[in-house]
Amino acid sequence: MNLVPVKAPQAPRKFDLAIVGAGPSGMAAAIAAREFGLSVLVVDENAAPGGQVFRAAELAGADPALARDMAPGLELIARFRALDVTYRPGATLWMLDPDTGTLSLSCLNETMEFVAERILLATGAQERPVPIPGWTLPGVMSAGAAQIALKTAGMVPSGRVVLAGQGPLMWLLANQLIRAGVMPVLVETRTQPILRTALEQGGIFSGFAQLTKGIGLILKARQSGMRVISGARHLRAEGAARVQSLRFEGGFEPCDTLLLHEGVIPSTHISMAIGLEHFWDARQLCWRPRLDVFGASTHARIAVAGDGAVIGGWEAAVASGQLAALDAAFRLGRMAQAARDFQAEASADALLQARTLRPFLDALYAPSHEILAPPEESTIICRCEEVTAGSLRWAAAIGATGPNQAKAYLRCGMGPCQGRLCGPTVAAVIAETRNVPVEEVGHFRPRAPYKPITVQELAGAQHGADRLS
Amino acid sequence: MTGRRFDAMVIGGGLVGSAIAWGLRREGLSVALLDEGDAAFRASRGNFGLVWVQSKGLGAPWYQRWTRQSAESWPGLADDLAKQNGLSLGLSQPGGLHLCLSDREMNKRAERLEQMKREAGNYGFEYRMLDAREARDLLPGLGPAVVGASFTPYDGHVSPLALLRSRHQGFTALGGVYLPNVKITGIATAPRNFLLETNLGTIQAERAVLAAGLGNAKLAPHFGLKAPVRPQRGQVLVTERTRAALPMPTTTIRQTGEGSIMLGDSVEEVGFDTRQSQPVMAEIAHRAALCFPWIGRLNVVRAWSALRVMSPDGLPIYD
Amino acid sequence: MFRTRPDHRTETVQVIVEGRALMVPEGSSAAAAILLAGLASIRETAVSGSPRLPWCMMGICFDCLTEIDGVANRQACMVPVAVGMRIARQHGARDVPR
């Protein structure tokens, strides 16, 4: 093995706006930014645009199980595809320097760098962890995982399928599975009454269209003959080498695949790693970056849009992406403030409209305490390092006041997922043990590389001229 | 909680503070261990984990001697702690290598260790300069870029995080009072009477130990002492676990008990700034891949930057 | 255990899962191929050796780490299948040849 010079390092290409994520908000921001004449870079980890909601829509659009849900995405994707932007699919952002605007990407085992005046994080949402006993057993997956399998490959779980948990996605997935020829059993963990929650939270009139759609999904699934078990508590996945059944208080449901879901939260891994200020959203029970109405963060170069800013669904994501693009044009001197504000009105209205039902949904599907902070000592919280709830409680008792100290004691959050999945649970268990609010406990401090890259790739980031051969 | 009184208080809950607090408590004193919150600078959490002798104390024979003695007392300490807490610290002291990537580095290294041997005098200092082949015998998989290495039998490594946990666990088990999230708002000192105003109320003790790392620079003058320490940034990369074994640590590369490989150790004078810098990370990775091409194929799963507590001359401060 | 719906996804790609040829729909990830192959697990963890299959399928959880084309610890849910791709289970911590 010798060091052989292959290519000379070159200065990174510069853009007015770099967008991280090609989901609804990223695509909408790119479309708007091009209208204002900005040069745009879009980087995305997936092979095709669409984000998670319209994942692989160009393939899935013709699938009768998904066609109606993918339709709005196809239109957006087509407009995005037609844009004159630099689009890098299959690229992982592993480091972002907000001060210099440098994005370090890994694409097919090569690192590359780009520089941008403004950077929009449109990294979307992730499912909340569902740490019930047995959730690491093969055959137990998140509901979103099954949906992605359906969207990307048209595949469905075979055998007995149980959906367990709560949230709009559960009903949507149930319908999609039924259309795809799979009849699941739904074990719902919802504890909040629908009618009272609706009256308390409001929004049901202005959000009537969304509400109708949601109720339609529920009715449709029930009419198709799907069995629904309501108010399930103390869920546990059971089985030897793989899941064989779901047990809950007063019930038992044999299954070959168990799909869990308790709602979604913003993916804040990168926004936290670059040091943006975040705050605890007590309604959505998650951390969120502190942003202004245009999505501008506490760092002058960075904005956040879409579900990575606040959970609102794809229509809200589109509107927030447009607002961020307007603000980028203004900050880059391509648009007067008055013009920005004038043009912003339509998107701001759309955003408001899209979010109108959120308080109701957030309240209705608020996860129970046992999901946030699993009571059973042996339940695994950190799937990577296999750290249990019991050991976390012990760590909190001997002095871990927050996730970072708990990580030092126990290694929770030290595995390859870097605490993406266990972060919320670690914080909630510490908060419960120390009897303080979660916001006081804090969160993990993520670090670059945001996703694993090889030592050699990292070396290549600086020594572009050298390759180990 | 207002007006608590102790025989001793230790300010700073890192490796140094928690060890002293544990020792004082073992001697029967009532002890308060005052610590910061979750997001403190905490050099103890950023530590690389070497129990290192071969680079310490050039031009300061007393420091070289203490370092050796300290390394020699490690096995006993690790045994004690394992007995008390049932927690292995992953201590291993097989000796260690300093790898050289050029003849110039090799010559400088040889001069340096020869000087240390001279300065050690009758205390002795065993070292060997190894050529590439000898080094490769000790560390299979060394890359062709490595021209040689220095070896001393004294070196080793340990898990600093297991040690920190063991200390905190042990201190609490002995009945020590651990007080995290402390913010000191006022200090009043008198002979054998030290009083802190804090967010948790007044804390008073006959003896005070300053073990606040970088915080000591500001704290010391309140106690009539000087501790002119400054932050020095170091960055570390950690790979995924691997079965391939690295039989002994080098100055900048070691394999943990879990199987991860840690890559260090950079030096940056950037003040109180714990951000990462990509060029330095790349340089660490580059050098590691030169030393061990097979490490180049491993994924970096974690990385961090942390602040060393550095004295003006790099030697311990005794006042 | 998963199955395809060949009526609706007609384009397929041949991959090798644990040495066995398998036709999977175009657009599948390597993790999806493992699910379709019906393997009991994609890997055994490096910590305790417990078996795992993918959890999130969207790049968050890293439970789908496995060996793809001879390289271990790839995030299989983020790797689209390609013709002839070799996907294999992973047992415990990664080994690298020296």
Side-chain angles (χ1 to χ4, degrees), chain A residues 74-447:
Chain A
L74 281 175
E75 194 192 316
L76 195 58
I77 290 168
R79 288 176 66 198
F80 174 73
R81 288 275 196 199
L83 290 180
D84 176 22
V85 297
T86 302
Y87 166 50
R88 291 274 179 175
T92 301
L93 178 76
W94 58 266
M95 189 164 185
L96 171 59
D97 183 339
D99 298 328
T100 61
T102 307
L103 300 98
S104 303
L105 304 176
S106 166
C107 190
L108 298 171
N109 298 321
E110 278 229 41
T111 58
M112 58 183 92
E113 277 189 7
F114 295 104
V115 175
E117 287 291 332
R118 299 257 337 135
I119 295 166
L120 174 64
L121 299 178
T123 49
Q126 62 185 66
E127 289 175 279
R128 188 185 288 287
V130 191
I132 61 168
W135 72 311
T136 55
L137 279 173
V140 184
M141 301 173 87
S142 76
Q147 199 187 37
I148 288 166
L150 180 58
K151 287 175 182 173
T152 54
M155 58 196 251
V156 288
S158 49
R160 293 161 301 184
V161 181
V162 171
L163 294 176
Q166 57 176 344
L169 180 85
M170 286 302 248
W171 290 100
L172 177 60
L173 177 63
N175 276 271
Q176 291 168 338
L177 288 176
I178 293 168
R179 281 183 230 141
V182 173
M183 182 55 70
V185 175
L186 178 62
V187 178
E188 218 190 358
T189 55
R190 181 173 55 81
T191 53
Q192 302 303 312
I194 295 180
L195 194 61
R196 203 177 70 212
T197 310
L199 294 174
E200 280 168 8
Q201 300 298 329
I204 52 171
F205 295 108
S206 43
F208 192 68
Q210 286 175 45
L211 192 62
T212 313
K213 192 184 164 210
I215 291 170
L217 287 173
I218 294 173
L219 291 176
K220 191 91 188 154
R222 286 182 178 272
Q223 280 163 6
S224 306
M226 182 176 77
R227 203 148 52 82
V228 180
I229 296 157
S230 299
R233 305 192 316 154
H234 310 330
L235 269 55
R236 54 191 311 128
E238 296 180 332
R242 63 172 290 130
V243 67
Q244 287 164 322
S245 59
L246 172 72
R247 191 175 289 280
F248 46 93
E249 198 178 64
F252 170 87
E253 204 56 58
C255 58
D256 300 298
T257 299
L258 172 61
L259 303 173
L260 300 173
H261 183 76
E262 286 283 347
V264 296
I265 54 176
S267 276
T268 52
H269 200 68
I270 295 172
S271 58
M272 281 177 175
I274 62 173
L276 301 187
E277 195 183 318
H278 288 67
F279 69 98
W280 178 255
D281 182 333
R283 207 187 71 205
Q284 296 198 335
L285 298 171
C286 61
W287 290 96
R288 280 169 49 189
R290 192 174 294 289
L291 308 169
D292 73 6
V293 290
F294 289 98
S297 75
T298 48
H299 191 289
R301 195 190 296 275
I302 312 288
V304 188
D307 274 356
V310 50
I311 299 303
W314 75 268
E315 286 159 304
V318 165
S320 70
Q322 290 164 342
L323 288 171
L326 274 168
D327 194 42
F330 161 65
R331 285 170 184 253
L332 291 166
R334 311 292 174 81
M335 186 184 279
Q337 186 163 358
R340 177 197 69 173
D341 295 348
F342 179 75
Q343 292 200 40
E345 264 178 48
S347 299
D349 282 352
L351 187 59
L352 211 62
Q353 177 60 34
R355 284 184 184 159
T356 181
L357 205 57
R358 264 347 281 193
F360 164 64
L361 292 175
D362 293 338
L364 182 64
Y365 294 126
S368 64
H369 184 74
E370 66 176 19
I371 292 297
L372 299 173
E376 221 167 291
E377 304 290 86
S378 60
T379 305
I380 285 180
I381 285 179
C382 166
R383 293 173 68 104
C384 295
E385 293 290 329
E386 304 183 42
V387 178
T388 62
S391 53
L392 247 170
R393 290 203 170 82
W394 170 86
I398 70 155
T401 59
N404 296 292
Q405 188 66 22
K407 175 177 168 182
Y409 287 158
L410 300 174
R411 303 184 60 83
C412 52
M414 265 193 205
C417 103
Q418 300 182 338
R420 280 172 170 83
L421 198 57
C422 68
T425 317
V426 170
V429 168
I430 295 173
E432 177 209 67
T433 309
R434 300 187 71 85
N435 198 24
V436 296
V438 179
E439 56 264 47
E440 213 171 284
V441 164
H443 51 75
F444 281 130
R445 182 185 184 183
R447 294 292 210 154

